[in-house]
Amino acid sequence: MPVAALIRLLGAVGVDAPSVRSAVSRLKRRGLLVSDRAGSRSAAYAPSEAARQLLADGDRRIYDRPRPEEDDRWLLAVFSVPERERQRRHVLRSRLARLGFGNAAPGVWIAPAHLEDEARHTLERFGLTAYVDLFRGAHAGFEPTREAVARWWDLEAIAALHQQFLEAHEPVLRVWERRRRIVPEEAYRDYLPALDAWRRLPYADPGLPGGLLPDGWPGERSAEVFHTLDAKLRGPGGVHAAAELRADG
């Protein structure tokens, strides 16, 4: 993707050019973007192999809707990091938290079993596999699993994130449901902020079985709003993005 096209596309949703260039520089330093100038009149970049894996994992998390009602399988991540490498301990905790793991006990993190592949990819990408053992199993504790889940995750905070998404984007969906004509540029302008807001939620809410969640859980409604917007706007928004890319081809 040419940087000039990226600046135009992100400028349309309020991101200024210096911020775009700064973000591109950070991604280059992290090895997630590589130069790809062939056929382009300006600087252009493509995702590295590590970035492609990251994007593939992210797409599954963002666009799938895993909430298995009867699946009682869990993934445990048990880690031990020497004190002399405590910075790696911090990285490990932060990565597990960002993946949506709950904290069951010191050095013990838990997630629904469907997150195993993504967890493996992340631990491998950050060179953390030597410190972690992964286990699969069922909860056999002395308290009901529903009560344990409320200790492992901050469900009130996750519910608040769903509510914030609904307050911002449910009105957008209502407007589009009344419209008969979809203009690609307008679809792009509404879809990208919705996608940007939604992409964090499947990581905060890792897809816990509905029977373990509080009554009136807002996650199902927020998922319905996002996926309806996605079905309606992603295609036309992509048409607009493709046109911007062709302008630099």
Side-chain angles (χ1 to χ4, degrees):
M1 174 179 285
V3 174
L6 188 60
I7 287 172
R8 289 198 304 275
L9 285 166
L10 292 178
V13 291
V15 182
D16 61 31
S19 296
V20 174
R21 293 191 180 95
S22 176
V24 168
S25 295
R26 288 197 303 274
L27 292 171
K28 284 171 55 185
R29 287 196 299 271
R30 291 172 57 190
L32 295 175
L33 288 181
V34 293
S35 295
D36 183 20
R37 293 184 170 84
S40 175
R41 295 192 298 268
S42 59
Y45 298 91
S48 65
E49 286 305 311
R52 290 179 191 280
Q53 182 66 72
L54 184 64
L55 290 169
D57 287 339
D59 281 353
R60 281 191 294 273
R61 184 73 76 96
I62 291 166
Y63 294 110
D64 290 351
R65 299 180 71 172
R67 200 175 293 285
E69 294 301 322
E70 304 300 329
D71 193 346
D72 64 352
R73 296 173 304 155
W74 298 95
L75 177 68
L76 285 182
V78 180
F79 67 82
S80 177
V81 181
E83 181 61 26
R84 66 181 179 276
E85 298 182 77
R86 56 182 177 272
Q87 178 59 28
R88 285 188 174 270
R89 187 185 306 134
H90 169 73
V91 173
L92 187 46
R93 287 171 179 159
S94 67
R95 289 298 153 185
L96 291 173
R98 290 182 187 182
L99 284 169
F101 277 70
N103 189 202
V108 181
W109 291 68
I110 188 167
H114 64 79
L115 298 186
E116 181 178 346
D117 286 347
E118 188 177 355
R120 286 183 179 277
H121 295 157
T122 299
L123 294 171
E124 289 166 357
R125 187 165 59 249
F126 284 90
L128 298 170
T129 56
Y131 307 97
V132 185
D133 283 306
L134 297 178
F135 301 87
R136 303 186 205 99
H139 179 234
F142 295 98
E143 65 178 329
T145 305
R146 182 179 174 121
E147 295 179 14
V149 162
R151 287 192 294 105
W152 300 337
W153 282 272
D154 187 344
L155 296 180
E156 289 187 6
I158 296 171
L161 293 174
H162 282 297
Q163 286 297 150
Q164 290 170 15
F165 179 85
L166 286 169
E167 289 168 7
H169 299 285
E170 194 166 24
V172 176
L173 175 59
R174 291 197 206 101
V175 170
W176 280 101
E177 286 176 332
R178 294 193 296 268
R179 298 181 64 170
R180 294 185 178 180
R181 180 169 174 264
I182 297 181
V183 178
E185 184 174 0
E186 294 174 0
Y188 169 84
R189 289 175 184 272
D190 279 346
Y191 177 65
L192 193 61
L195 174 61
D196 186 50
W198 172 257
R199 67 183 174 85
R200 299 171 175 84
L201 271 167
Y203 288 92
D205 177 352
L208 299 168
L212 301 180
L213 296 168
D215 295 338
W217 183 253
E220 287 302 315
R221 178 57 186 160
S222 68
E224 181 181 346
V225 167
F226 171 72
H227 288 287
T228 304
L229 282 169
D230 178 64
K232 187 178 289 287
L233 302 182
R234 193 200 325 184
V239 169
H240 172 70
E244 289 292 332
L245 288 175
R246 285 195 299 272
D248 284 87

